[in-house]
Amino acid sequence: MTADNSTLIEIKVGVLLPFHQNNDNWTKIMTMSGISAIRLAVAEINAKQMIPGAYITLIEKDSYPKPVEGQAAITQAVYSAISLIQEGVVGIIGDISSSWTSFSALMTSTLKIPQCSFSAVATSLSDKSQFGYFFRTVPTNLLYSDATVSFIVSQGWPVMGVLYSDDDFGQQLSESVVMKARVNGISVKSYQSFYEDGPKSNIRKSLDTLMSTGVRIVFVAAEGKAQLTVLTIAAQAGYINNDTVWITTDMETDDLFVAVNNFNSILEKRANHTDIIPANYNLTDDLSKAVKQSNNDSIDPIEYSARMASNLTTINYNQTFSGGIFVFEVLKQLTGYEPFDTFHNKWIHLDPRLYPYGGQTNISSNEGMAYSCMMVMADGFNRTIYNSTMPTTNTTSILEQLAAGELGEYMEPSTFNTSFLGPIGPVVFDQNGDLATGNFRIYNVQKGALIDIGRIVAGNMNLTSLPMYHDGTTKVYKLKYRL
């Protein structure tokens, strides 16, 4: 900073993250790389005096100070949030998980303290009646619907079907896809749920119902084992063929390969009469509901479906998954996009002793989103200082009120809609404080492997190679004709 701190007003911003969580490597990387990006942002804000007359001090608080679980973990997370608030912070960044973020966001919204998360994606956090001062720079799962529909529109397909897992993820994403499809003139011919009974669901029946409608373009709104299982069963049923296209989100072909192999292995054992059915498949009525649920959750849906299959024909993985399947994945490295390249150049020159995971050529996690959280918060503070509705125009007086936490009524998510151009693209929030657009990589499953064929940045799609379909061609008109 070029100015003497004694002449500036201190603005405290809290960071609430599980710094001592070591059980999950993903959370650890997200936490430590995230705080490094936030520290980088604060260093820039202060050095450039982006808030004239003030400087930002980070107050970092551990939401997981001790290795405890259950209610004890929730209690200490809530206590950490309360402690942070008591230190006089006027904004908070965090937490990592959606569940823990909801605890702190309920408190901050009640107290009119803005809170930004760079990792919590739960749709429930969009509820402004509970989380009125919460916003986030991580794209929610619902933005997959925009990516899906834009791709379908680009290919000229007028009709689609939706197959969704009967859980929060599947229900919410499928509803969003249906709504976006209709707005864009795409007819949703079939809308079918599956996985209603968890691992012991009759997924083949749901598939048969969907495909009996004649739908050819299918969006699968599911994740994890539900997603892998339905695609495996669709493959064995012959529904992945030259006349169909399948679209889904966040799927690794390595996981799909393992799922298909496990499915085939059970079929082969059944054919050879060597399969042994686990005891938890048949539960007696005298077992408690909790025990039944526990046993049900322990069942592998891939293996269960293989044991319920009437057809014992195995799946040829490479032949079945030769093309015609498309997968969207959140894009974090926007190489070639100037704001990202600028951020990346700063990142690779950081001292990792002060900035964990800094100094690396690759972006490990949500660094760009964490950096953007801090930058838009600073922009919002600056905008508040010059808010024309303020009763006074004395900036020093307004800064003092801001630092004292007396301007909460001006700190709703719309305040932070400053059109900031950062490493994750334009940060534009909708009425719920969620990103209005997302960035996605478009993959095409070709010969059993994920092939990068393009990306969507800030809602704009760019295909770098033509999509390949199941028959090995790129002739989109065949699919349009068969619809």
Side-chain angles (χ1 to χ4, degrees):
M1 276 173 47
T2 58
D4 181 357
N5 271 20
S6 64
T7 66
L8 302 176
I9 294 172
E10 181 186 42
I11 297 175
K12 295 179 181 179
V13 173
V15 180
L16 187 64
L17 298 173
F19 291 106
H20 284 87
Q21 190 286 136
N22 293 311
N23 297 328
D24 183 82
N25 194 52
W26 175 86
T27 301
K28 179 181 178 180
I29 293 173
M30 182 87 73
T31 297
M32 301 314 295
S33 63
I35 189 59
S36 294
I38 295 167
R39 290 170 183 168
L40 172 61
V42 169
E44 290 181 25
I45 291 164
N46 290 341
K48 296 177 181 178
Q49 296 183 37
M50 292 174 60
I51 306 177
Y55 67 97
I56 287 177
T57 296
L58 282 182
I59 309 294
E60 299 174 7
K61 191 70 71 172
D62 194 342
S63 60
Y64 191 78
K66 295 180 182 180
V68 294
E69 302 298 331
Q71 185 59 46
I74 295 172
T75 299
Q76 68 178 10
V78 171
Y79 179 77
S80 295
I82 293 172
S83 299
L84 199 55
I85 292 168
Q86 288 176 337
E87 292 205 36
V89 298
V90 297
I92 289 179
I93 297 176
D95 206 323
I96 293 295
S97 73
S98 294
S99 57
W100 284 16
T101 299
S102 66
F103 297 142
S104 54
L106 282 170
M107 288 186 280
T108 54
S109 289
T110 300
L111 297 172
K112 297 183 178 181
I113 298 172
Q115 180 170 343
C116 179
S117 175
F118 56 90
S119 60
V121 299
T123 306
S124 58
L125 288 165
S126 300
D127 183 356
K128 292 300 101 177
S129 67
Q130 296 189 76
F131 308 105
Y133 285 74
F134 176 80
F135 59 100
R136 47 189 161 186
T137 54
V138 60
T140 67
N141 292 325
L142 297 187
L143 284 180
Y144 281 121
S145 60
D146 292 316
T148 298
V149 171
S150 65
F151 179 71
I152 290 175
V153 168
S154 75
Q155 299 302 293
W157 299 325
V159 181
M160 67 178 294
V162 176
L163 182 64
Y164 66 96
S165 56
D166 195 22
D167 53 27
D168 287 345
F169 178 89
Q171 291 167 1
Q172 292 166 359
L173 179 54
S174 63
E175 289 171 4
S176 182
V177 166
V178 170
M179 180 182 69
K180 298 287 175 60
R182 289 172 176 164
V183 168
N184 285 273
I186 299 170
S187 172
V188 179
K189 189 173 185 178
S190 182
Y191 183 68
Q192 177 64 45
S193 65
F194 76 100
Y195 217 64
E196 296 90 342
D197 300 316
K200 295 181 71 174
S201 301
N202 188 343
I203 297 175
R204 176 59 189 268
K205 181 180 179 181
S206 298
L207 271 168
D208 289 344
T209 301
L210 176 83
M211 301 309 290
S212 68
T213 65
V215 70
R216 293 291 180 263
I217 310 300
V218 181
F219 176 69
V220 179
E223 60 182 347
K225 287 194 172 183
Q227 176 194 56
L228 296 172
T229 304
V230 77
L231 288 172
T232 300
I233 298 173
Q236 205 237 4
Y239 291 138
I240 298 177
N241 55 49
N242 292 352
D243 294 332
T244 60
V245 166
W246 295 75
I247 303 169
T248 192
T249 64
D250 278 334
M251 181 193 72
E252 294 292 337
T253 47
D254 287 347
D255 295 334
L256 182 61
F257 180 76
V258 170
V260 170
N261 275 352
N262 288 345
F263 189 85
N264 285 343
S265 176
I266 298 295
L267 294 183
E268 290 168 353
K269 288 178 182 178
R270 287 182 60 198
N272 296 327
H273 305 289
T274 58
D275 182 42
I276 299 175
I277 298 177
N280 59 354
Y281 274 35
N282 298 301
L283 304 177
T284 59
D285 291 334
D286 58 347
L287 289 175
S288 70
K289 184 177 180 180
V291 171
K292 286 184 178 181
Q293 185 61 50
S294 177
N295 283 334
N296 195 39
D297 292 342
S298 70
I299 294 173
D300 185 300
I302 294 285
E303 295 180 2
Y304 183 84
S305 297
R307 290 190 170 101
M308 296 300 109
S310 58
N311 179 5
L312 300 185
T313 305
T314 57
I315 302 166
N316 184 317
Y317 178 80
N318 287 334
Q319 181 178 316
T320 304
F321 297 99
S322 58
I325 298 177
F326 301 92
V327 181
F328 296 101
E329 181 182 278
V330 172
L331 177 64
K332 299 176 182 178
Q333 299 205 51
L334 306 183
T335 305
Y337 176 68
E338 186 176 350
F340 173 82
D341 292 340
T342 300
F343 170 79
H344 187 246
N345 185 56
K346 297 171 187 173
W347 187 259
I348 62 178
H349 290 98
L350 293 176
D351 183 347
R353 292 171 297 182
L354 300 175
Y355 299 89
Y357 294 94
Q360 300 182 9
T361 56
N362 67 308
I363 297 298
S364 305
S365 185
N366 290 19
E367 293 92 326
M369 300 173 194
Y371 175 89
S372 296
C373 254
M374 188 64 253
M375 296 301 278
V376 297
M377 192 168 283
D379 277 353
F381 291 158
N382 203 33
R383 170 186 278 190
T384 302
I385 296 167
Y386 298 101
N387 190 319
S388 61
T389 64
M390 286 286 183
T392 177
T393 57
N394 185 307
T395 56
T396 300
S397 175
I398 295 173
L399 276 173
E400 289 173 344
Q401 292 178 64
L402 174 63
E406 297 172 359
L407 300 181
E409 62 186 292
Y410 299 98
M411 295 295 169
E412 292 182 337
S414 57
T415 297
F416 304 96
N417 232 342
T418 60
S419 300
F420 171 70
L421 288 177
I424 62 170
V427 179
V428 179
F429 301 113
D430 64 15
Q431 69 274 16
N432 297 318
D434 297 332
L435 286 179
T437 61
N439 308 312
F440 299 92
R441 193 177 297 281
I442 307 170
Y443 289 106
N444 186 185
V445 178
Q446 299 179 12
K447 298 179 181 178
L450 288 177
I451 304 299
D452 186 343
I453 64 166
R455 64 184 192 174
I456 299 173
V457 176
N460 299 311
M461 187 174 68
N462 177 38
L463 293 180
T464 52
S465 61
L466 292 174
M468 179 180 289
Y469 299 97
H470 190 271
D471 62 1
T473 72
T474 59
K475 298 178 180 179
V476 185
Y477 69 87
K478 287 189 175 182
L479 289 168
K480 290 167 69 176
Y481 174 79
R482 285 168 181 152
L483 284 169

